[in-house]
Amino acid sequence: MTTPIKDLNLEGKVAVITGGGGVICSVMSKALAMKGVKTAILDLKKENADKVADEIREQYGTKSIGIAANVLDKSSLEAAKKEINEKLGSIDYLINGAGGNAPTATSKVEKIEPSDMEHLEDTFFGLELEGFEKTFDLNFKGTLIPTLVFARDMVKKQRGGIVNISSMNSYRPLTKIPAYSASKAAINNFTQWLAVHFAKTGVRVNAIAPGFLLTNQNRFLLVDEKTGESTARGKKIINGTPMERYGTPEELTGTLVFLLSDWSEFITGIVVPVDGGFSAYSGV
Ligand code: NAD
């Protein structure tokens, strides 16, 4: 006898989306709302979170609340959890979307050339420890702490889904951004660790590794501010992406819905590249 195929089964579930006021996670929140999920949009910037929640209620008619919360401050997340439990119910899904890079952990040059000896401040040697700390904190602890707070509901009811947001940098680091790359590699490792730890609880833990999207955090590296033309780095990315274009946040939503839904009940501990072929391409 075959088991009947279930539906996606997202309707009525409660999702917490950190960084929900941002470019990628506002679209992810809307995609979930479109599938009937109640959404708690968490962001450092309350007005951005509120704007997304307002748009969701207006466009999709599902419950949505905007909450100011700092992913690095456990007490602010605990207060958010209380509000979510009161207004939306017990939590089923967590999307760890808050993340980013610090300019002070970004080297000016890609490689040290013999001619750079007088300008070592433009290389690895000019990177600031404080930039590393900020970037590691935001990407790694900013995933760890919300998981500590929000996954309790899921483990208690023996059901739920966590999706972390990784990056192409996690597989092979991009030049100039060592802190961002290493902290996203840590996300992949933590995704696997937690997937194993939670494997018998019914809570699945996966990640999405987006390819290249043009957003606020990378625009300064990819587009020349004055001319609006692609920088040399922007051109390299397009050349390294077999589809020869940037992705859009909408193009990440299918993977998100799939990973959370009952259609992927045997999937845990994976990192899915959504990258226009970038990770498959040798460049030749
Ligand atoms: P974004 O800057 O538009 O969104 C990030 C959001 O997180 C912002 O709204 C910001 O206010 C919020 N935030 C920052 N610090 C916070 C904190 N301490 N507590 C709570 N919220 C905080 O960036 P995005 O491009 O939408 O990126 C979203 C995620 O996707 C990040 O994890 C990023 O690293 C990842 N990512 C982005 C790309 C890309 O090309 N843009 C590629 C791969 C991965």
Side-chain angles (χ1 to χ4, degrees):
M1 205 177 80
T2 54
T3 322
I5 296 173
K6 291 184 196 167
D7 204 346
L8 275 175
N9 215 8
L10 300 180
E11 208 167 323
K13 296 282 194 331
V14 174
V16 178
I17 304 102
T18 72
V23 176
I24 290 178
C25 288
S26 59
V27 173
M28 286 190 162
S29 303
K30 287 178 183 176
L32 293 178
M34 206 177 181
K35 290 278 139 214
V37 175
K38 294 183 260 182
T39 45
I41 315 297
L42 268 57
D43 206 286
L44 258 191
K45 298 176 187 151
K46 169 89 165 115
E47 65 279 14
N48 293 3
D50 282 342
K51 184 169 177 281
V52 175
D54 290 347
E55 286 169 4
I56 284 178
R57 287 193 306 274
E58 206 171 288
Q59 288 168 22
Y60 306 107
T62 50
K63 277 192 182 173
S64 185
I65 52 175
I67 303 178
N70 181 350
V71 291
L72 299 175
D73 175 0
K74 200 170 180 209
S75 59
S76 93
L77 296 170
E78 278 163 350
K81 180 174 185 296
K82 194 163 176 279
E83 187 177 343
I84 296 163
N85 287 158
E86 278 165 14
K87 294 187 177 161
L88 302 181
S90 141
I91 295 157
D92 301 286
Y93 303 137
L94 169 63
I95 319 307
N96 280 310
N101 183 39
T104 49
T106 305
S107 69
K108 290 207 175 68
V109 298
E110 292 187 351
K111 297 178 195 166
I112 298 185
E113 304 290 342
S115 56
D116 285 330
M117 293 311 128
E118 300 306 315
H119 307 282
L120 283 180
E121 68 280 7
D122 291 346
T123 73
F124 169 67
F125 298 101
L127 297 173
E128 289 177 27
L129 201 50
E130 161 267 340
F132 271 78
E133 281 162 0
K134 265 194 190 156
T135 308
F136 266 82
D137 277 359
L138 178 57
N139 293 312
F140 185 69
K141 282 197 204 158
T143 293
L144 172 70
I145 303 171
T147 306
L148 282 169
V149 174
F150 298 118
R152 260 176 206 273
D153 277 7
M154 304 180 209
V155 169
K156 276 191 187 153
K157 65 184 164 195
Q158 299 277 289
R159 195 154 186 81
I162 299 170
V163 174
N164 298 325
I165 308 300
S166 180
S167 161
M168 277 300 108
N169 290 274
S170 66
Y171 305 114
R172 277 180 304 157
L174 254 74
T175 56
K176 295 189 175 181
I177 48 175
Y180 183 75
S181 303
S183 64
K184 289 295 187 181
I187 291 296
N188 293 12
N189 194 279
F190 177 60
T191 300
Q192 293 176 317
W193 185 87
L194 197 64
V196 172
H197 193 65
F198 281 179
K200 291 169 85 174
T201 68
V203 181
R204 297 183 296 105
V205 189
N206 294 296
I208 297 176
F212 296 90
L213 285 79
L214 201 52
T215 59
N216 303 332
Q217 65 165 299
N218 60 20
R219 197 173 302 271
F220 76 106
L221 289 171
L222 306 181
V223 179
D224 187 306
E225 238 179 283
K226 288 181 199 124
T227 63
E229 300 281 312
S230 249
T231 58
R233 191 175 178 84
K235 283 182 192 146
K236 271 195 196 173
I237 285 175
I238 297 300
N239 290 339
T241 303
M243 289 191 184
E244 294 184 18
R245 63 173 177 84
Y246 291 108
T248 66
E250 289 74 10
E251 288 171 323
L252 303 172
T253 57
T255 308
L256 175 70
V257 166
F258 160 70
L259 287 174
L260 291 177
S261 81
D262 287 356
W263 284 357
S264 55
E265 267 185 321
F266 201 46
I267 295 180
T268 196
I270 66 166
V271 182
V272 184
V274 184
D275 64 350
F278 185 90
S279 58
Y281 185 41
S282 71
V284 180

